[in-house]
């Protein structure tokens, strides 16, 4: 793990209520998938090319028409006001200033219109995407989509890996199932079926299917990113269905504990999609080298979840800014050391497995 991120993680741990720390850090079941995410990156090494004359590298990328200062965006995570009183607003400001995309969670403790407003105070063209769990009641999904559109979000990120809630061992042990008084999932307020001023619970449904995704696409002009895809056949299907991008993810190890690491699933998904749509990756990205390895394996960009929460808990907006600045600097440095001109300059042949005899490509 990058040293700056590791130090912020320790400061966050020292500051947070241990129950909230466990909520952020924990995974499902025996936390096998959670551990696999970082372990899979630790097994990868980068084979640099020499004398390319290509550098210094430019770490910027373009994604769904948005220019990002680096191939790192912020994956959706719930409840930022547990980490810091400024919560999602602080995150939004730091992400906007860093020039990348914030995917704000449907389970945010700040409503999406306030998140976009905070981002745009810093940068008027800041991109905020809205993460959505399709709700079993279509009227509720539609109200959430309209809320995201009205707030000026420029994409919807539909999380498809959660037909039911993951079983979070630490939360069960700690009895953490409700937000403390004064905090709520603000996007769930004033939705159809809820008494005025009250929030609805987020529902998960194993009955949702591709037909529901199609109905969503009929409802909105916003591009849809499908999050939580691991199987290459689902990736191909998503591209056929007109999804704008995929986010390969095991949900930070918080859903199916038997799932592989995202980066283990990435090459097959990238092959299945064959460049038709961008493929994003999250889970266990803790350094510029991790991000660059994912790019070389076919990702257009990577997402970070927990590192942003560490920065936020450690030092509010400045902590999030520190995480993003460090990742951008490292990506630029490592691309240059690898002899690449930009984020597209590395091939899969430049990622090898550590400890193998000879140099075994991924
Ligand atoms: C505390 C926490 C809350 C999360 N909340 C959501 C969420 O509301 N919606 C979602 O799609 N993913 C959620 N995720 C998953 C992240 O979007 C992302 O897939 C994961 O955190 C990436 O792994 P990383 O934390 O190792 O970077 C959450 C993850 C964490 C750690």
């Amino acid at each position: 793990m990058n040293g700056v991120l590791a130090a912020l993680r320790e400061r966050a741990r020292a500051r947070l209520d241990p129950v909230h720390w466990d909520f952020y850090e924990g995974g499902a079941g025996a936390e096998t998938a959670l551990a696999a995410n970082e372990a899979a990156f630790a097994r990868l090494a980068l084979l640099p090319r020499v004398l390319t004359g290509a550098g210094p590298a430019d770490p910027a990328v373009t994604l769904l028409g948005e220019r990002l200062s680096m191939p790192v965006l912020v994956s959706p995570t719930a409840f930022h006001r547990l980490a810091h009183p400024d919560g999602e607003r602080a995150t939004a400001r730091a992400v906007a200033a860093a020039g990348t995309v914030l995917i704000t969670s449907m389970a945010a403790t700040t409503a999406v219109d306030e998140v976009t407003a905070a981002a745009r105070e810093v940068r008027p063209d800041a991109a905020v995407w809205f993460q959505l769990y399709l709700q079993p009641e279509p009227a509720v999904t539609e109200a959430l989509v309209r809320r995201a559109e009205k707030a000026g979000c420029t994409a919807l990120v539909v999380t498809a890996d959660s037909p039911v809630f993951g079983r979070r061992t630490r939360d069960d042990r700690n009895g953490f199932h409700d937000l403390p008084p004064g905090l709520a999932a603000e996007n769930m307020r004033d939705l159809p079926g809820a008494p005025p001023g009250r929030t609805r619970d987020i529902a998960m449904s194993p009955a949702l299917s591709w037909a529901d995704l199609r109905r969503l696409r009929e409802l909105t002009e916003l591009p849809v990113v499908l999050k939580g895809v691991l199987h290459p056949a689902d990736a191909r299907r998503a591209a056929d269905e007109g999804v704008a991008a995929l986010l390969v993810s095991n949900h930070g190890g918080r859903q199916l504990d038997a799932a592989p690491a995202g980066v283990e699933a990435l090459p097959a998904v990238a092959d299945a999609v064959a460049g038709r749509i961008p493929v994003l990756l999250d889970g266990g990205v803790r350094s510029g080298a991790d991000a660059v390895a994912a790019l070389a394996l076919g990702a257009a960009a990577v997402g970070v979840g927990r590192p942003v929460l560490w920065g936020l808990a450690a030092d509010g907006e400045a902590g999030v800014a520190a995480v993003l600045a460090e990742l951008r600097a490292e990506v630029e440095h490592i691309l240059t050391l690898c002899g690449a001109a930009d984020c597209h300059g590395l091939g899969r042949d430049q990622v090898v497995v550590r400890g193998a005899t000879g140099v075994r490509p991924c």
Side-chain angles (χ1 to χ4, degrees), residues 5 8 25 285-286 304-312 319-320 323 327:
L5 270 57
L8 287 166
E25 283 296 283
V285 174
R286 302 291 180 260
V304 282
R306 292 180 183 83
V308 168
L309 296 170
W310 302 335
L312 184 64
V320 178
V323 167
L327 289 173

Side-chain angles (χ1 to χ4, degrees), residues 23-24 75-78 105 107 131 133 159 227 249 251-252 254 282-284 286 304-307 309:
F23 168 71
Y24 286 152
S75 284
T77 51
S105 170
Q131 179 267 323
Y133 292 108
T159 302
K227 176 172 187 279
S249 173
H251 207 117
R254 294 163 78 84
D282 77 16
R286 302 291 180 260
V304 282
R306 292 180 183 83
L309 296 170

Side-chain angles (χ1 to χ4, degrees), residues 27-29 161-162 164-169 172 204 254-256:
D161 58 16
S162 305
V164 290
F165 286 100
R167 296 175 69 185
R168 311 269 160 75
T169 317
D172 289 346
M204 305 285 174
R254 294 163 78 84
Q255 288 296 120
L256 175 65

